[in-house]
Amino acid sequence: MTDADQVRTSVVEVALGKLDLDTKARLLAGQDMWSLPAIPEIGLQSLVMSDGPIGVRGVRWTADDPSIALPSPTALAAAWDPELARRAGRLLAQEARRKGVHVLLAPTVNLHRSPLGGRHFECYSEDPYLTGAVGSGYVNGVQDGGVGTTVKHFVGNEAETDRFTVDSVIAPRPLRELYLAPFEAIVANAHPWGIMTAYNQVNGTTVTEHRYLVNEVLRGEWGFDGYNVSDWMAARSTTGDIEGGLDVAMPGPTTVYGPALAEAVRAGEVSESLVDDAVRNVLRLAARVGALEGAPAVVETAPAPVDGQALARELAARGFVLVRNETTPDGRAALPLDAFAGRTVALSGAAARDARVLGGGSATVFPERIVSPLDGLTAALPEGALTFTVGADPSGELVPADKGFELRAVCRDASGAVIGEGSLPTGQVQWIGDDLPAGATYETMASIEVTGTFLPRESGEHAFGTRGLGAFSLAVDGRTLWEGVQEMGDEADPFEAFFGAPSERARVTVTEGEPVEVSLTYQVPDVSALPLKAIMFSLLHLGPRSDADELIAEAVAAARTADTAVVVVATTERVESEGFDRQDLTLPGRQDDLVRAVAAVNPNTVVVVNAGSPVELPWREDVAAVLLTWFPGQEGGAALADVLLGDAEPGGRLPTTWPARFADGPVTEVVPTEGRLEYREGLFIGYRAYEKHGVAPAFPFGHGLGYTDWAYESLEATADTVRVRLTNTGTRPGREVVQVYLAPVDDTVERPASWLAAFAGVTAGPGETVEAVIDLPARAFEIWDQEASDWQRIGGAYEVRASHSHGDTRLTATLDIA
């Protein structure tokens, strides 16, 4: 313990001793959606939390204070570079400090158990070692900046269906070796200041009440000394949660803690010492972030400023994975594209114009700018070199008004007087707790008008609609088109049942470039009885629907005469988002048909896949190149131009196996049966399962081509270290990720045939030879012994594989372990 640690500990104990029971109980309950109460008498500031996997939104759902939007966590993991993740964390800490945030509710380190998991874009990988390494980098980076992290969702939260109640049934070995492993690694290597416990149960016990996992494993075995906060609205039992090791119940002001906890202590149901333990953890967090008077912050001088736009652009390119790059008929690789004197590119796909740069749900932020593929390529190519056609539009449903809309929200009281006003990033109003325009209150608001202008990008019939429960009035161009009430329906999805399904209300013919006024007025219901006050509704829009065959024909005509065709395909928020799991892995709409049609007329067809997690690519062998860009963040289009034109190398390797077909996936069950989701596959998820079942994926775990070639020349292995010499044999500088897998020769226990043990990135210029020195963790040779409740080292002979990917082993050596 350092001198500063001792001072913080002393200050925490003195502060704790000054608090009475009611104040202590109050400190453990959120005072609102995002913060804990200040206690001035001990010099404690209000601790502020914010969602933050890819950007720091702050405490308000608004674009008035924009946020840098980095690539999705899956993209960050695809870089296979913990130091790069650390740099991303430092940027997010900088953003948090700017917004007055002390703690980020991130990273998400649940595993890609099944490709159907709806929130996998917010997680890193199917592999626990890679997840732990990248997550450690992220946590170290954020905390380098003096901001706390909250590693989530502890544990067994690999699917979204019935996530509030599902019982994840996981045997001890996979629980330890797969699902707990990233959390354990991050606690050991990054010392996070927070953990978030999940909604679900694990083996019959709700995780917020799970004494064994929280008190015995997380705190006891691993030595975690941070604070433990519930996922939002996950805490359900006053006695169960405090005895289960939960420190903070969020959000407030009504939780199972506060007055209910104080009363439980007075009634003899809870020991006050448990309350003291929880308060001590919260005060320690406050001391670390500099929010407790007299305690030195862990970081008193912020790191050097980070250029957010530049780092977002670099991160995007580093995470792009080039999974296919064939030689074209003129004898060159499809990518990078040649110098552009007189050469032409035909770009198609609705996602090229309206890129999806981040996933939906709690990770949403509002960046100051978004660079789409069309924007990026237009800026990078000579005038006249680029054409664009829509080709196929997967967004066939009403969504919150966005492109072409400039909107604000006007709050009025019962007399019609304006009491508050604020801008809106989209047509979605999402005000929770105190996140209201200045002057507005739940008690005084009678109506909210979403109003502004719409500048159509296309002439034709536009659809307008609503989402939300209650009474509405919709007007376009000064005409009231619909008035009515949306009631709660029988939607199967609980989100839709609570917030209302998207509903079309009117269609209006408008002209491209001619602005029209829009207005949606919502009658505010009485929310006084709700434990968490909130208002959520949306003005929805859908542009004209063109004939799908005509759109494809336009793209084909443009591609036929171009030197290169670039097709951008994508998922939508109705396919991939928080709150629900996917039904299949197909691309929505006619996007597959578009790719096939373009590839049929242009052999130099490059497909860019804008998706957060795997999708089926049935045409993958019919095109010249396939580039996976994930959700690439706000600078994605600029990074795409860098990579396509060769100014940057696509640096990514797959962090998760990409299946050829959904039916080939080893784990396809994400829907509980009678409330239980049984992890019957045990240790065999991802590449471990593909290898066990002898199924060839479309692209293996760890795959990625880059723009140069590498010769692996020698491999030396001991029980502690692997050394690999390799040479860049190509004509360009590049980065290689040397992946080390272990494969037991004659295994004495049930294990996967091989697994990732360690990795390292190296860079080299053309013709340069470098050596990767890679430490082998002792855990790589261990299994969890269920009978002994401890780790057991498994001796014997192992094949050590130095690999370019799980499916591409370059060198091997045999190692005998005692």
Side-chain angles (χ1 to χ4, degrees), residues 62 78 586 594 671:
T62 177
T586 58
L594 170 65
V671 177

Side-chain angles (χ1 to χ4, degrees), residues 26-38 46-50 58-60 105 229-230 232-233 248-255 432-436 442 531-533:
R26 180 166 58 90
L27 178 59
L28 304 182
Q31 68 175 350
D32 53 28
M33 186 66 178
W34 300 112
S35 68
L36 298 180
S46 174
L47 286 167
V48 179
M49 310 170 213
S50 171
V59 300
R60 297 187 59 213
L105 304 173
V229 62
S230 70
W232 265 226
M233 296 177 285
V248 174
M250 289 295 289
T254 303
T255 81
I432 304 175
D434 295 332
D435 181 12
L436 296 172
Y442 292 102
L532 178 64
K533 296 179 175 61

Side-chain angles (χ1 to χ4, degrees), residues 295-375:
V298 172
V299 178
E300 297 189 284
T301 302
V306 180
D307 184 330
Q309 287 188 1
L311 182 56
R313 186 169 181 167
E314 179 187 352
L315 286 169
R318 289 285 306 276
F320 288 174
V321 183
L322 184 61
V323 293
R324 179 177 173 84
N325 194 22
E326 296 300 293
T327 300
T328 60
D330 55 6
R332 60 179 181 84
L335 292 178
L337 301 179
D338 286 345
F340 262 82
R343 299 183 66 84
T344 57
V345 173
L347 178 66
S348 62
R353 181 186 63 188
D354 301 324
R356 188 173 182 200
V357 301
L358 47 80
S362 60
T364 300
V365 295
F366 305 106
E368 188 173 26
R369 72 173 200 167
I370 291 176
V371 183
S372 70
L374 178 57
D375 295 332

Side-chain angles (χ1 to χ4, degrees), residues 136-162:
S136 294
Y138 176 101
V139 168
N140 278 320
V142 174
Q143 295 182 176
D144 284 347
V147 174
T149 55
T150 309
V151 188
K152 63 184 186 182
H153 307 87
F154 186 82
V155 63
N157 185 191
E158 276 72 37
E160 293 294 278
T161 305
D162 296 342

Side-chain angles (χ1 to χ4, degrees), residues 70-149:
L70 299 180
S72 65
T74 308
L76 188 61
W80 288 60
D81 188 343
E83 279 306 308
L84 188 67
R86 190 167 193 157
R87 290 173 58 203
R90 286 177 178 159
L91 170 62
L92 294 177
Q94 174 179 295
E95 286 278 280
R97 293 193 307 271
R98 179 175 66 82
K99 288 174 176 268
V101 169
H102 299 104
V103 183
L104 291 188
L105 304 173
T108 304
V109 299
N110 302 108
L111 298 186
H112 296 174
R113 172 179 171 261
S114 165
L116 292 181
R119 204 171 179 179
H120 281 353
F121 62 86
E122 197 180 316
C123 309
Y124 290 127
S125 171
E126 68 187 27
D127 182 79
Y129 181 81
L130 177 59
T131 296
V134 176
S136 294
Y138 176 101
V139 168
N140 278 320
V142 174
Q143 295 182 176
D144 284 347
V147 174
T149 55

